[in-house]
Amino acid sequence: KEQTIYDTIYYHLSKHDQSFGVEADDKDTLFDLYEYVLADHPEIFWEDGSNVSYTTSSIGDKTVFEVYASNTFSLKEIQHYEKQLDEVTKGILAKVAQLDHDYEKVKYIYDYVIDHTTYQENSMYNQTILSVFLYQSSVCAGYAKSIQYLLNKADIPCTYLWGGTTYSQEDHAWNLVKMDGDIYYLDATNGDQDDEQLDERWRYSFFSMTSSQMLALYHPDIDYMESTALKDNYFYRNDAYLDTSNLQDIQRLLSKEAHNDHPTLIFQCETNKVCDTLNETLQDGNTLFDLAQKEGIIAQSYQSYHQKETNTWMYQLK
């Protein structure tokens, strides 16, 4: 029965119907399914769920809800925005189509949304994809729905998740994505760090996360999938995922930074214990500077960053 309610809601919203009848047992079920439809279909940008209302009537022992959509835009406005969206996204999707692997496609879209969007709480239509693609500013809902929209267009399964966070009292939205047969989580909002001095690789601490990393950051309000996959983890693919506290791994990573104008040591650890041991050693005396000097990197100070939920560390050498 819930699938029938879901399908009815989706049908009418996709047809731009401003009101429609739905048979349901209670309003909580109805509005939960309404929310699921909007979460699954970011292309329905004309309904953001902000001002939905209803009336009820009875037919025998059945309750019928007459639902009145938020009515954000006229049909003419919807058609105008759809045309603009197509013009913006077709170029992005054309680039994605040239890439061979899911990892490359997801990373390209993740980077695109971050690089072309500014986080702004009062941005226009910030619960929809319009905010990102047409106005280049949004909040977490706009980031996550835009990621979902592009990936689904590219035939890569992606869903929209929402809930609370472990680090604040705010609601949040992020994504589940299937890459090369495995489930990962990503959060473009947190990946969009408002600090020009920060090495942009830091954004990947919120990219291709396992379910345990995701749960260390968020409290999902809906079902999620367990995942321990690593093959499309950014750090794993770049040989910067460390499962031991061997300083030879640090030396190897520093060697890759020797010709970087702003040498940066960045890595992710399998466990907190590995990270703690490594960082205690690196911060003991001149250990980090001595290791860097062996690779021709002369530094007198560093700025360190720690993302404890994902066991990610970064040292920007100066």
Side-chain angles (χ1 to χ4, degrees):
K1 186 174 181 179
E2 288 189 352
Q3 186 63 53
T4 300
I5 297 170
Y6 179 103
D7 291 342
T8 300
I9 295 169
Y10 171 66
Y11 173 82
H12 287 289
L13 290 181
S14 65
K15 296 296 184 182
H16 316 119
D17 292 339
Q18 295 182 3
S19 65
F20 51 91
V22 184
E23 183 184 327
D25 291 335
D26 57 79
K27 70 178 182 66
D28 289 339
T29 299
L30 173 66
F31 280 94
D32 282 347
L33 291 168
Y34 202 98
E35 188 172 25
Y36 295 155
V37 169
L38 296 183
D40 291 343
H41 296 280
E43 73 276 9
I44 304 179
F45 60 82
W46 50 91
E47 173 56 283
D48 61 6
S50 63
N51 194 29
V52 184
S53 60
Y54 70 94
T55 59
T56 60
S57 60
S58 297
I59 302 177
D61 60 350
K62 300 177 180 178
T63 301
V64 177
F65 290 81
E66 185 68 18
V67 178
Y68 301 91
S70 299
N71 195 24
T72 309
F73 304 110
S74 67
L75 180 57
K76 185 176 181 180
E77 289 173 322
I78 291 170
Q79 293 170 339
H80 172 71
Y81 281 128
E82 284 182 322
K83 183 178 179 181
Q84 286 186 298
L85 283 171
D86 286 342
E87 291 174 352
V88 171
T89 60
K90 69 181 181 182
I92 305 168
L93 293 168
K95 290 281 185 66
V96 171
Q98 295 173 5
L99 303 173
D100 293 328
H101 303 291
D102 286 354
Y103 173 84
E104 295 170 330
K105 295 177 181 182
V106 176
K107 182 175 176 294
Y108 180 87
I109 288 172
Y110 180 80
D111 287 336
Y112 179 91
V113 170
I114 290 175
D115 291 339
H116 291 81
T117 312
T118 300
Y119 186 89
Q120 188 173 342
E121 290 189 358
N122 61 350
S123 51
M124 290 186 66
Y125 310 127
N126 60 28
Q127 299 301 299
T128 78
I129 61 176
L130 297 183
S131 58
V132 169
F133 296 128
L134 302 188
Y135 297 99
Q136 292 80 51
S137 65
S138 194
V139 295
C140 59
Y143 280 80
K145 288 182 179 180
S146 298
I147 293 277
Q148 178 192 23
Y149 178 83
L150 289 172
L151 286 175
N152 287 342
K153 286 279 190 180
D155 295 322
I156 295 176
C158 178
T159 60
Y160 175 93
L161 301 181
W162 68 92
T165 68
T166 61
Y167 51 85
S168 74
Q169 300 300 313
E170 297 179 354
D171 292 333
H172 195 59
W174 62 101
N175 296 102
L176 176 155
V177 61
K178 190 173 185 179
M179 283 191 282
D180 301 309
D182 291 314
I183 297 299
Y184 300 88
Y185 295 87
L186 59 84
D187 180 359
T189 309
N190 273 327
D192 191 1
Q193 298 291 317
D194 187 22
D195 184 349
E196 293 183 357
Q197 303 303 313
L198 195 65
D199 189 292
E200 71 171 23
R201 287 172 290 180
W202 187 245
R203 67 177 57 173
Y204 301 119
S205 57
F206 300 97
F207 178 78
S208 58
M209 295 182 286
T210 64
S211 57
S212 62
Q213 289 175 321
M214 182 272 290
L215 291 172
L217 288 162
Y218 318 117
H219 300 300
D221 283 349
I222 57 175
D223 292 339
Y224 64 93
M225 298 178 69
E226 297 282 349
S227 174
T228 58
L230 287 175
K231 66 182 180 183
D232 282 338
N233 173 289
Y234 172 84
F235 298 95
Y236 187 86
R237 289 181 68 100
N238 287 275
D239 295 322
Y241 187 87
L242 310 183
D243 56 6
T244 71
S245 53
N246 192 331
L247 285 181
Q248 290 181 347
D249 289 324
I250 300 299
Q251 194 75 67
R252 173 176 52 78
L253 292 173
L254 285 169
S255 71
K256 296 180 180 181
E257 298 295 309
H259 301 293
N260 190 336
D261 290 338
H262 304 284
T264 299
L265 172 66
I266 182 168
F267 56 89
Q268 192 170 96
C269 302
E270 184 177 58
T271 66
N272 276 321
K273 183 178 180 180
V274 170
C275 266
D276 290 345
T277 302
L278 273 173
N279 287 290
E280 285 175 9
T281 303
L282 290 173
Q283 295 176 21
D284 181 25
N286 293 319
T287 301
L288 177 56
F289 300 125
D290 291 342
L291 291 172
Q293 189 171 13
K294 289 181 180 180
E295 304 303 330
I297 301 171
I298 307 302
Q300 297 180 338
S301 64
Y302 63 80
Q303 178 69 49
S304 65
Y305 301 85
H306 180 208
Q307 174 52 255
K308 65 178 181 179
E309 291 84 359
T310 59
N311 291 330
T312 308
W313 274 86
M314 182 168 72
Y315 292 87
Q316 290 189 293
L317 299 170
K318 302 176 181 179

